[in-house]
C-alpha cells in the first residue's frame, strides 16, 4: 500500500534531516511502497532524495537495512550513496546493499552460479581480454580479422547481450546475411571459450543472472525476500537486459523506485533504451510520478539556454528546471577562424578569468564531441604551459605494466584463465615463444585441457625440446609457488613477491630509463591501492580483482584542483564545473554527422548538448570554428543547428573576424570566403524537402551554377541552383 503523502503525520514525525529537502524531494522520500518514478533534472538533488529515502525506510518505516537494494552505474556513485546513508542513519546503513548493476549481479552469481553447473570463482574479462579471446575465435573459424574485426564482432555481441539475447537465441534468429551468420557462429564459440577459461564478460554478469532467475525459481524467490525495496539510479541509461532483471526481481512486491532524467539519456550506442523510462508508467500502472525541477547548480541563463535546446525533442517528459540563483552571465558564443584560433581563444579566456575573477584551473572543463578534437587543445595548452589533464586517456588499470601484473594475479586466482596466461608466459622474456605456445594450445584442444594443464603435460611427456621443457617447468614452478602464498600473504605482499620472483621489477630496474621509472612508480601505486583495499574492506585476492574489473573511467576520475579538465561530452556526465567550454559547436560534430539523418539519434545528440550545458555552474562558453581540418583537407564548418535553439537575448557573440559583434544572425550569415559565383559560403538557406541548410561549396556560373549544401536533415547535397528553389534565410 502506498504511503499517504497528504497525511501530516509523515511530515510532523520526520527526523531533522528532512528539513534539508524541498517539498518534491520529501514526496519522493516518503513514497515507500509501490512503483515510483522520480524525474530528476540536472542538479536537482536526486542523490540526496535517493539516500534520504533509504534512511526514511530504515528510520521511519522500520525496514531492515539488508532488505534494501540500491543500484547505480558507477562505483563512485554507489560509494557516495553508501557514505551518505551511513552519515544519516549511522552504522545500520552499512547493511544496505549498494552497488553497480554489474557488482550486484556479480555478488548474486558468486553465491548461486553453481546452480547452473558453473564454478563461482570465474574471472571477469575487460575489453582487451575480450579482444584477445575474440582474435583466437576468428583464427579457429578461419575468418579474416581485417574483414570482420574483433571490436566489431564484440560490439555486436555486446548489443545482443544488452538486449537480453544469449548466443543460442542469437544463432537461431532468422533473416541473417552472411556476415551476421559469421557473427552468430563467433558468438557461440566466444561463449564456449569464455567457459573454458572460467571467465565472463560484463554482459554475461547480467545475462547469466537473468538465466539464473528464470531457471531456478527458488533462487529468485530468495532474492525477492532479501531485497524487498529496490531503488534504481540513472534509470534512463538502463538497457533491456537490466530492465528484465528488475522486472524479475520486483515482480512480486512491486516496490521499485527509479530515479532518472530522460533529457540526460546519452548512451543509446551502448544499449541504453530510452523507452524504459518513458514507458515506466504504462509498465507499472498506478505508479507515482514526481518531478524534481529545482536546480541547485546552474545560473538562470544557463538553465534557460539548456532548456531551449532540449525542449526541441519530441520523445521526452515535460519538465523545466528553475533556480533561486540570479540569471548570471550571458552565454558566450565564440566564432573562431579555425581550430587553432579556437584553442587559443579558450586559453586566453581561462587566463583572463584567472586574472580578473580568481578562477582556478581546476574550476574549468573543456568539452568536445570526439576524442580526436582534443589534439589542438593539447598542443596549445602545452605550448602555453596551461596545466591540464585529458580525461579518458589511457586509464591507470589499462597501462601495460598494470595489465601485466593483473594477468599474473588472475592466473594465481584462476589457473584456467588462458588469456591471462598467454599474456604473462613470456613477460618478462623467458624464452617461451609463439610456436611453443601454439603446440600447447593444440594439445589443449586435442585432449580437452586448459592451457595450463596442456603446458604441464607437454613438459612432462617430452612433447617439447629439453630446453623449452625446462623453461616451461620453471614457469609452472613460479606460478605454483606464488599460488601457495595466496592464502598466507597480504595482498600488497603477494604483489611484491610476484613482481620480485617473476623478474618483472628487476627487468624494469635494469632498463633504468625515464619510462621504466614511471612504470615502476605505477606498480608501486598499484601496491598502495591493494594495501588501501585490504585496510578498508579486508577482501581477498579474488575480491580485489573483482573491484578492478568493475572500475570505469568515471570511477578513476579525480577532481583536478590544479588542472583544466579536457574530456568528451559523454565523460562529462555526472560532473560539474564553475566554467564549462563546449567546443566544436558545428554541424557534423555536434550533432555528429552520423546522427543527423536519424531523428532518434539527432534527439540523443541534442540531449548530449544539454548534458554538457548543465555541467556549468556560473559560466558557459560555446565555441566553433569556421574552418577545420577534418580527415585531411581544411573545410568550411556550418554552425551547429543547436545554436539556433538558444534565444539571442541569452547569448553574447564574439567573432574572430568581427570584434565586438553581438548580433547572432549577422554572425551566422557572414560570408568568409567566396568562389567565382555570387553565392557566399556559409549562406543559410531553406529547401522544401531537406529543410534548413548551409552552402558549403559552389561551382559554375549562371544557369549552370551548382551548389553543395549541408542540410540538418538531409546531410550534404549537390543541387542545381535554378531548380532547387532555395529560399535565403539570411
Amino acid at each position: 500500500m502506498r504511503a499517504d503523502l497528504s497525511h501530516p503525520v509523515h511530515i510532523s514525525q520526520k527526523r531533522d534531516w528532512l528539513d534539508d529537502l524541498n517539498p518534491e524531494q520529501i514526496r519522493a522520500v516518503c513514497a515507500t511502497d509501490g512503483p515510483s518514478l522520480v524525474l530528476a533534472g540536472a542538479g536537482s538533488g536526486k542523490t540526496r532524495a535517493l539516500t534520504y529515502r533509504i534512511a526514511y525506510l530504515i528510520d521511519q518505516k522500520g525496514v531492515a537495512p539488508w532488505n534494501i537494494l540500491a543500484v547505480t552505474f558507477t562505483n563512485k556513485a554507489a560509494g557516495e550513496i553508501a557514505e551518505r546513508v551511513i552519515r544519516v542513519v549511522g552504522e545500520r546503513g552499512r547493511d544496505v546493499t549498494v552497488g553497480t548493476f554489474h557488482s550486484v549481479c556479480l555478488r548474486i552469481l558468486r553465491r548461486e552460479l553453481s546452480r547452473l553447473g558453473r564454478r563461482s570463482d570465474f574471472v571477469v574479462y575487460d575489453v582487451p581480454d575480450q579482444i584477445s579471446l575474440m582474435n583466437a575465435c576468428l583464427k579457429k573459424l578461419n575468418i579474416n580479422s581485417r574483414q570482420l574485426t574483433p571490436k566489431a564482432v564484440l560490439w555486436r555481441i555486446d548489443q545482443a547481450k544488452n538486449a537480453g539475447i544469449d548466443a543460442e537465441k542469437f544463432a537461431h534468429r532468422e533473416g541473417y546475411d552472411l556476415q551476421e551468420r559469421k557473427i552468430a557462429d563467433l558468438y557461440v564459440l566466444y561463449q564456449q571459450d569464455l567457459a573454458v577459461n572460467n571467465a565472463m564478460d560484463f554482459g554475461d554478469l547480467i545475462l547469466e543472472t537473468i538465466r539464473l532467475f528464470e531457471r531456478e525459481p527458488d533462487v529468485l524467490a530468495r532474492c525477492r525476500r532479501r531485497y524487498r525495496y529496490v531503488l534504481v539510479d540513472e534509470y534512463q541509461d538502463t538497457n533491456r537486459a537490466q530492465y528484465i532483471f528488475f522486472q524479475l526481481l520486483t515482480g512480486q512486491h512491486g516496490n521499485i523506485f527509479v530515479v532518472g532524467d530522460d533529457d540526460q539519456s546519452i548512451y543509446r550506442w551502448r544499449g541504453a533504451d530510452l523507452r524504459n523510462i518513458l514507458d515506466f508508467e504504462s509498465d507499472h500502472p498506478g505508479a507515482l510520478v514526481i518531478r524534481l525541477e529545482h536546480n541547485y547548480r546552474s545560473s538562470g541563463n544557463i538553465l534557460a539556454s539548456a532548456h531551449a535546446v532540449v525542449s526541441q525533442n519530441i520523445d521526452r517528459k515535460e519538465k523545466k528546471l528553475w533556480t533561486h540563483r540570479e540569471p548570471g552571465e550571458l552565454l558566450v558564443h565564440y566564432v573562431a577562424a579555425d581550430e587553432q584560433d579556437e584553442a587559443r581563444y579558450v586559453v586566453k579566456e581561462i587566463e583572463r578569468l584567472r586574472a580578473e575573477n580568481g578562477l582556478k584551473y581546476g574550476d574549468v572543463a573543456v568539452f568536445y564531441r570526439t576524442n580526436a578534437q582534443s589534439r589542438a587543445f593539447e598542443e596549445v595548452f602545452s605550448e602555453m604551459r596551461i596545466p591540464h589533464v585529458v580525461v579518458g586517456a589511457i586509464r591507470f588499470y589499462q597501462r601495460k605494466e598494470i595489465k601485466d601484473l593483473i594477468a599474473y594475479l588472475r592466473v594465481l586466482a584462476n589457473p584456467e584463465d588462458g588469456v591471462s596466461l598467454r599474456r604473462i608466459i613470456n613477460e618478462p622474456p623467458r624464452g617461451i615463444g609463439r610456436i611453443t605456445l601454439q603446440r600447447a594450445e593444440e594439445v589443449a584442444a586435442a585432449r580437452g585441457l586448459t592451457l595450463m594443464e596442456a603446458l604441464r603435460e607437454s613438459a612432462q611427456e617430452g612433447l617439447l625440446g629439453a630446453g623449452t621443457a625446462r623453461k616451461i617447468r620453471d614457469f609452472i614452478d613460479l606460478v605454483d609457488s606464488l599460488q601457495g602464498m595466496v592464502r598466507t600473504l597480504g595482498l600488497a605482499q603477494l604483489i611484491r613477491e610476484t613482481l620480485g620472483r617473476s623478474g618483472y621489477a628487476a627487468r624494469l630496474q635494469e632498463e633504468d630509463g625515464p619510462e621504466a621509472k614511471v612504470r615502476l612508480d605505477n606498480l608501486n601505486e598499484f601496491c598502495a591501492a591493494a594495501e588501501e583495499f585490504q585496510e578498508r574492506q579486508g577482501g581477498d585476492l579474488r575480491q580485489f580483482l573483482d573491484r578492478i574489473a568493475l572500475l570505469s573511467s568515471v570511477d578513476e576520475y579525480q577532481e583536478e584542483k590544479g588542472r583544466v579538465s579536457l574530456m568528451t561530452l559523454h565523460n562529462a556526465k555526472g560532473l560539474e564545473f564553475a566554467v564549462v567550454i563546449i567546443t566544436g559547436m558545428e554541424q557534423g560534430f555536434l550533432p555528429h554527422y552520423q546522427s543527423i539523418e536519424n531523428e532518434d539519434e539527432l534527439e540523443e545528440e541534442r540531449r548530449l548538448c544539454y548534458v554538457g550545458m548543465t555541467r556549468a555552474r556560473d559560466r558557459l562558453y560555446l565555441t566553433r570554428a569556421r574552418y577545420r581540418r577534418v580527415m585531411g583537407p581544411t573545410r568550411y564548418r556550418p554552425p551547429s543547428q543547436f545554436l539556433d535553439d538558444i534565444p539571442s537575448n541569452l547569448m553574447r557573440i564574439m567573432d574572430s573576424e568581427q570584434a565586438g559583434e553581438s548580433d547572432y544572425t549577422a554572425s551566422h550569415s557572414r560570408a568568409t570566403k567566396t568562389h567565382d559565383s555570387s553565392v557566399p559560403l556559409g549562406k543559410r538557406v531553406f529547401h522544401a524537402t531537406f529543410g534548413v541548410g548551409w552552402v558549403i561549396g559552389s561551382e559554375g556560373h549562371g544557369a549552370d551554377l551548382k551548389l553543395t549544401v549541408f542540410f540538418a536533415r538531409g546531410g550534404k547535397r549537390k543541387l542545381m541552383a535554378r531548380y532547387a528553389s532555395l529560399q535565403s534565410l539570411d
Side-chain angles (χ1 to χ4, degrees), residues 2 31 33-38 53 256-259 280 287-290:
R2 185 178 301 287
D33 297 302
S36 299
L37 166 63
V38 176
R53 183 177 187 274
I256 181 169
F257 176 92
V258 304
V259 182
F280 185 85
L288 177 69
V289 180
I290 301 167

Side-chain angles (χ1 to χ4, degrees), residues 68 75 139 206 370 509 558:
I68 302 171
N75 290 289
K139 289 178 182 178
I206 296 172
T370 65
Q509 289 164 353
Q558 299 293 325

